[in-house]
Structures are given as C-alpha cells and as structure tokens.
Amino acid sequence: MPLTATSAAPPANRAGLDRNATIAVVVCWLFVVFDGYDLIVYGNVIPSLQKEWGISAATAGTLGSLAFLGMMIGAVLAGRLSDVVGRKRAVIGCAIVLSVFTALCALATGPVMFGALRLIAGLGLGGLVPTSNALAAELVPAKWRAAVATMMMSGVPIGGSIAALLGIPVIPNWGWQSMFVFALVPLILLVPIAWRTLPDHTVAAMRVRAESGFSALLGVRFRSVSIMFALATMVTLLAWYGLGTWLPKLMQGAGTDLGSALTFALALNLGAVAGSFVTAWGGVRFGTIPTSIVAALLAGLALLSLLTSPPVALIYVIFVLAGVGTHGTQCLIIAAVASYYPDHLRGTALGWALGVGRVGAVAAPQIGGWLLAAGLGADSNFILFGVSALVAALLLTVIWRRFPT
C-alpha cells in the first residue's frame, strides 16, 4: 500500500509559501549550516589534538564517536519532543545546547573533558536537523516538500566548508581552540532571530491523535519502512561522517601537509553542497528514492576508485563526487521520510531515522581509528566508506521496490 501523508496540511501549505514562512525556512536552514560546521570542525582539529595531547588514532576516533553518540540520543528525543511541545522550542533548545557546549570545548584541558563536552554538545547537534526539517516541511506546499527538505540539507556541507576554510588560517595562527569559540556566533545572532521569526504552532497541538509517537511509527503500517529507512541512514552516515572525521588525517598520512589535507576536505564539502542542489532537482524530476540510489552508487564507486592510486587532480574530482553522492543520498533519505509519513508523525519519523541511523555515525570515527591504529592505512578506510555507500544503494532499492510513494 502506498504510504502518503494523510493528515490535513497546515494553513501555510494550503495558502502557499508567504513571506513569514520563507523567513522561517531560511532561519531553519541557517541552523543546519551551524550543525554542519560543528560536524566537520572536529575532523579539522584531530591532528592538532593528537600533537598537543599525545593521543592515538584510536583515542581520537573514540572522541569523535562521543559526539555522534550524543547525536543519536538527541535526534530520537528531539524529534519526538518537537511533535509534543512544538517545533520552535525544540529547534531553539537544541541550538542553545549545541552552541554552549561546543564553545566550552575550547576550554578543555585534556581528552576526558573534551569528550564529555562533545557528548553533551552532540545532544543538540543530533536534534537540530530533524527538528529544523520538520518545521520547514510544515511551512511549504506539499509538492515542494521533498525539494525543500533536500536543499535544507545543503546547509550541512556549507557549514563544513566554512569549518575547512576557517581551519586553514585559524588553526596554525590561533590554535584549535579558536575553531570551537566560533560556535558562539549562532547563540548570539541566530537564536534571538529564531525566537522572533519561527512560528509557535505545532501539528501535535492542532491535531490530537490516539495513535502517535513511536507506537505508531513502529506499528503494523509503518514498521518495515521505518526500519529500512533507519538502516539506509546508518550506512550512509557511516560513509559521510567517516569521511568528515578522518579525511584530513587520511590525506596527511598519504604525505600531504595539513593545509593541503584540509583542501581535500573542502573539496568533499563543496561536492556535498553541489550534491544538495543536484539531488534536489533529481528528486523532483525522477523521484527521491530512485535518485538516492544513483547518488549512493556514485559515492561508493568514487571512493573505491581511490584504491587505484589516481593522480592528485583526479583525487580532488573523486572527493567532489563522493561529497555529491554521500551527502546527496542522506538529503534524499530525509526528503523521502518527510514525505512518507503523516504530519503528526513527521518529527518522530525524522528523529527515528536520524537517531537510529547515527549508529553509523558513532561507529565511523571509532572503526576508522581502529583501522589506522592496526596499520591498515588510508585504503582500509576508503574501502569501508565505499562499501557502506554501496550497501545504502542496495537498501534504498529494496525501499523503492517494496514501499512505493
């Protein structure tokens, strides 16, 4: 049976996208940019942390995984919370937690303190994307929901690109701590704007349902597709966050200096920015799931081609394609989830997919660190991330065939 949104659309969806709704969507997008900055900033400072604190690659991977563990918990809780207390409060609350505890990382005196702060910051980090996307989805006409959800996620690689660009001059001149102090900017500028511009309404407040939350999401009607979306998200995030965490370190291990290694990370994130818009067009033209299958295949094949030791110029192209494919796949999964479920389940469904899917994000830094610590080199990481993308393509194919929209 096709899965479609069955509940009445909010008034903004029937009337079209007005000026206030447009401003609110842009504010939500800016929060996603902030989310993307925080996701990538740790990968940029790993070499500096290892040098200053003398930690191993495995320990660095554990520190990276702590933030993703917090994201996993935060996504599930915040997604459900946004269906209960309102999108606005959930979005702003997540942003405050993320901004404050990320900035406090600059004061960390060692890996234990740093890891604890990253874990708490991860709660806000994980909750910001599903709550922002759920709010934006309610403010646009249904026919544009998938495209807007996809383009919203362009904020993640844009934020990552900002982190990479800042890291090139900031880390050598002012130290890694400065990269975390920048997290105060959204708290000072964006949160007050959000409080004034984001709407207070919530689907849960407008429409009371007997069956809602996780009992409905994992009930007979939605159980299978919910599990499949979570698994597809898991392997996609393993590839995307694994690259985001380890790429500068992997390229340094291949003989490049820190500045050049960060330009490879920049290529990955610029590819992801382009992928957000390319896949948005493809999702509207060909459907979100078919386009996501192609994107995942592109990422997997591009990453595995690194095993052939291509020239430097081609490596840049490969990372651009990997960014297009990995991030584009995740954008399309979010767009598909936003369209598959009724309004009163949208926040819960997005939180579920991203929360459970964060298992892949939690595992990626740790597994990558173990592979490096075992002396298996950069190629072992590229095999892991490339195969993960191919598995995502397989899972999405199953969703496409069994659960048509």
Side-chain angles (χ1 to χ4, degrees):
M1 177 177 64
L3 301 177
T4 57
T6 57
S7 57
N13 285 357
R14 292 195 294 266
L17 192 62
D18 60 21
R19 179 176 178 272
N20 291 336
T22 300
I23 293 172
V25 169
V26 171
V27 170
C28 288
W29 176 80
L30 289 172
F31 276 124
V32 177
V33 172
F34 173 37
D35 190 279
Y37 176 90
D38 198 274
L39 281 173
I40 302 301
V41 69
Y42 176 68
N44 294 338
V45 304
I46 284 178
S48 300
L49 294 181
Q50 288 187 285
K51 182 178 180 180
E52 180 170 331
W53 290 336
I55 58 177
S56 66
T59 300
T62 299
L63 292 177
S65 293
L66 286 173
F68 294 136
L69 177 61
M71 289 172 67
M72 180 175 65
I73 300 170
V76 174
L77 296 180
R80 178 65 186 126
L81 188 66
S82 73
D83 282 337
V84 176
V85 304
R87 316 295 194 208
K88 175 179 178 177
R89 290 177 177 83
V91 168
I92 292 176
C94 289
I96 292 173
V97 170
L98 174 57
S99 186
V100 169
F101 285 93
T102 295
L104 287 174
C105 287
L107 303 178
T109 56
V112 174
M113 181 179 178
F114 183 88
L117 291 170
R118 287 295 286 170
L119 175 66
I120 300 172
L123 297 174
L125 184 62
L128 203 51
V129 167
T131 54
S132 296
N133 273 279
L135 177 55
E138 290 183 6
L139 298 175
V140 301
K143 66 178 180 179
W144 294 109
R145 190 169 290 155
V148 169
T150 305
M151 287 186 288
M152 275 277 294
M153 293 306 295
S154 69
V156 173
I158 288 174
S161 298
I162 292 171
L165 286 170
L166 281 176
I168 293 172
V170 167
I171 295 175
N173 292 297
W174 293 287
W176 61 266
Q177 293 90 344
S178 301
M179 296 294 290
F180 292 95
V181 174
F182 280 111
L184 290 174
V185 173
L187 179 66
I188 296 171
L189 298 180
L190 195 54
V191 167
I193 295 173
W195 187 258
R196 292 175 59 89
T197 59
L198 296 186
D200 287 308
H201 76 272
T202 169
V203 171
M206 293 187 296
R207 306 180 67 256
V208 179
R209 289 270 185 148
E211 186 181 14
S212 62
F214 294 109
S215 61
L217 191 71
L218 298 177
V220 174
R221 182 182 177 191
F222 293 111
R223 182 187 302 121
S224 296
V225 73
S226 296
I227 291 173
M228 293 297 292
F229 273 131
L231 291 174
T233 302
M234 187 184 303
V235 289
T236 302
L237 293 184
L238 193 154
W240 169 242
Y241 289 139
L243 286 170
T245 300
W246 284 113
L247 185 55
K249 181 65 178 179
L250 294 175
M251 299 315 294
Q252 270 196 297
T256 61
D257 58 31
L258 177 60
S260 298
L262 290 176
T263 62
F264 286 114
L266 180 60
L268 176 75
N269 283 283
L270 290 177
V273 173
S276 299
F277 294 96
V278 171
T279 54
W281 171 83
V284 173
R285 178 67 176 83
F286 303 106
T288 54
I289 299 299
T291 306
S292 69
I293 295 170
V294 174
L297 286 172
L298 176 67
L301 295 176
L303 289 170
L304 292 178
S305 70
L306 290 169
L307 303 180
T308 64
S309 300
V312 172
L314 186 55
I315 291 176
Y316 279 105
V317 174
I318 288 171
F319 284 134
V320 169
L321 294 176
V324 170
T326 53
H327 186 69
T329 300
Q330 185 54 46
C331 289
L332 290 162
I333 292 173
I334 290 174
V337 171
S339 299
Y340 262 56
Y341 295 88
D343 291 341
H344 68 288
L345 277 178
R346 185 173 297 117
T348 304
L350 286 167
W352 161 265
L354 287 168
V356 177
R358 299 292 184 192
V359 171
V362 172
Q366 190 65 70
I367 297 174
W370 286 339
L371 292 173
L372 291 177
L376 298 178
D379 283 354
S380 63
N381 274 261
F382 294 136
I383 291 172
L384 170 66
F385 305 145
V387 170
S388 296
L390 295 180
V391 172
L394 177 61
L395 291 168
L396 290 164
T397 301
V398 174
I399 293 174
W400 182 40
R401 301 296 294 179
R402 291 194 57 191
F403 308 101
T405 55

